[in-house]
Amino acid sequence: MSCSAAVDSAAPSPAVDTATSVEAVGPPAGVASVPDTDALALLATLPVKGRAPRTGYSRDLFGQAWTDDVRVAGGHNGCDTRNDVLRRDLTDATTKAGTAGCKVVSGTLFDEYTGETGSFESGPDTSPLAQVDHLVSLSNAWQTGAQQLDEATRTDLANDPRNLQAVGGAVNQQKGDGDAATWLPPRRAYRCTYVARQVEVKAAYRLWVTPAERDAIARVLSGCGGADPAPAPATPAAPADPGAVRYPTCAAARAAGAAPLHAGSPGYRPDLDGDGDGVACETAPR
């Protein structure tokens, strides 16, 4: 498997002639701090309600995509969140000269969701092969309490490293905005950690779980440290043909809650991708 992802520009520094290692700027902390064995108790503290309507949802309500202006780990370190996560999750990462050690250009990605390992190389043609996933999707968060949060808190949620994981693009598209009742990682060994991280995020941001979501998480956690967890539900249908969706402008893509658009995904067009990095409409106008 060859994995790669688009990365955003970071604050400049004096140019050097070659790519540099990642030592200049360290990755943020932030993989789950709640042990799998404690997550079941934390799950019991979460409110259980039905899913609220998706009405009014927009990616823009969670702030500028991958902004560094957040209060969570990695915030205000001079690098965008996407590259923070890539530096954390890749091994042997190298960064682009002149970006203060921020922009990741290559490395090796072990996909926690599938168990596959592949090389990472940034670029418009390879970007769709690896993406940064929100474990609790922003759409799911919106429908389970984030409507009641202020925008600054929603922006923290969207950029919190506890809620982010670099994974293969194909498996991320499979997941979509599914919760634990509709999707679990194909790699069974990661399911305990996956749902434990979801519980931690939901508790941290005062979100609720649906009855089906709670039951699915409880089934997984009850098998952690012992028998294999319950099998994943059926995989959702494959995403639509990228050419079947067309947004005339980035404003239209944002209004539909689809931005940012990744190369190879529905609605992406090169003419919407001003910097040619494989991610279109990633930055909302100020």
Side-chain angles (χ1 to χ4, degrees), residues 5-161:
V7 292
D8 300 329
S9 297
S13 69
V16 294
D17 294 332
T18 60
T20 180
S21 72
V22 76
E23 296 177 359
V25 180
V31 177
S33 59
V34 176
D36 300 346
T37 52
D38 295 340
L40 197 56
L42 187 58
L43 174 65
T45 71
L46 299 181
V48 181
K49 304 181 185 180
R51 189 185 293 261
R54 195 172 184 271
T55 306
Y57 169 75
S58 167
R59 174 62 181 82
D60 289 346
L61 293 170
F62 289 80
Q64 178 180 323
W66 310 129
T67 178
D68 187 41
D69 186 16
V70 287
R71 300 166 294 185
V72 295
H76 300 283
N77 69 353
C79 297
D80 62 274
T81 301
R82 182 192 301 276
N83 283 290
D84 280 342
V85 174
L86 291 176
R87 289 197 314 279
R88 183 194 70 186
D89 292 348
L90 296 181
T91 57
D92 303 320
T94 59
T95 58
K96 184 176 181 180
T99 64
C102 289
K103 184 172 182 177
V104 179
V105 295
S106 66
T108 300
L109 173 64
F110 175 74
D111 186 341
E112 295 282 7
Y113 290 1
T114 65
E116 297 177 354
T117 299
S119 59
F120 171 94
E121 183 177 355
S122 66
D125 295 332
T126 53
S127 292
L129 301 179
Q131 298 170 12
V132 175
D133 178 46
H134 289 94
L135 279 77
V136 176
S137 75
L138 302 188
S139 174
N140 175 276
W142 179 256
Q143 296 173 84
T144 57
Q147 296 184 32
Q148 301 164 15
L149 303 177
D150 59 49
E151 184 172 349
T153 304
R154 288 195 297 264
T155 303
D156 287 344
L157 189 160
N159 292 275
D160 193 326

Side-chain angles (χ1 to χ4, degrees), residues 243-259:
V245 178
R246 188 180 191 280
Y247 301 107
T249 64
C250 283
R254 293 188 187 100

